[in-house]
Amino acid sequence: MNKPGIPKNLLLATAAMLACAATQAQMTPVGNWHSMDEKTGELKSLIVIADKGGVLNGHIEKLLRKETDPKGVCKECRDDRKDKPMLGLEIIRGAKQVEGKEVWESGKILNPKNGKEYTLRMTPIEGGKKLEVRGSIAFFVRTQTWVRVQ
């Protein structure tokens, strides 16, 4: 139903722009993600990635494995995160978008199990429904696919 005084084509154009903006907003790592065990497919954790001035950081919001101690700490961490609680632990630091691409790099990702930090690359895939998370040290590369939580 068209409102008086508002041209129909303006309403359609506005609706189309809003739909595009909603789609584009999903093509970012910012948001809530489930990490999964590659071997079993079991959910491991809920990760929240936030943008602070164009720099992305992410932390563990919730531990989802049954056998995981919710009061556990990062015993293997070697920096300021040593002995910090796993809940709230910042595992992604300093990722920035590559100019002109839907790729975020230049950051680090922490594996709390071994305390090692890896060079990070994150790429939204499947229209932003999934996130390809790649960590690397020298020639060793490991890629996980995280699933967006709505």
Side-chain angles (χ1 to χ4, degrees):
M1 182 168 155
N2 192 7
K3 296 192 178 208
I6 301 175
K8 185 175 182 179
N9 61 349
L10 178 61
L11 290 174
L12 291 173
T14 302
M17 287 179 9
L18 289 173
C20 285
T23 301
Q24 283 293 74
Q26 295 296 310
M27 290 304 290
T28 171
V30 173
N32 299 331
W33 300 93
H34 277 148
S35 65
M36 296 185 295
D37 185 301
E38 300 92 10
K39 294 176 186 164
T40 66
E42 179 184 18
L43 294 178
K44 294 193 306 188
S45 57
L46 172 63
I47 309 295
V48 176
I49 300 176
D51 184 331
K52 295 182 182 176
V55 178
L56 303 188
N57 296 305
H59 68 274
I60 300 172
E61 182 72 19
K62 188 174 185 180
L63 300 168
L64 301 172
R65 285 187 173 180
K66 296 173 200 161
E67 72 276 1
T68 304
D69 179 6
K71 295 180 182 177
V73 298
C74 191
K75 295 177 185 172
E76 301 299 324
C77 291
R78 302 179 184 122
D79 56 15
D80 61 305
R81 296 170 280 199
K82 179 147 181 75
D83 297 324
K84 298 288 187 202
M86 294 296 272
L87 287 177
L89 187 69
E90 188 175 53
I91 62 166
I92 294 173
R93 288 184 171 173
K96 296 176 185 171
Q97 187 170 10
V98 175
E99 189 172 332
K101 296 184 180 180
E102 291 175 343
V103 174
W104 283 256
E105 295 180 330
S106 304
K108 298 285 184 181
I109 187 164
L110 172 74
N111 180 345
K113 277 187 157 183
N114 64 18
K116 291 182 181 176
E117 270 197 318
Y118 301 85
T119 300
L120 174 66
R121 179 181 175 103
M122 297 185 291
T123 308
I125 58 175
E126 295 184 26
K129 293 177 185 174
K130 294 184 178 181
L131 183 65
E132 186 178 85
V133 181
R134 178 174 296 167
S136 60
I137 293 180
F139 298 105
F140 175 75
V141 178
R142 180 175 171 205
T143 303
Q144 293 183 337
T145 301
W146 295 356
V147 179
R148 187 179 295 276
V149 178
Q150 296 301 328

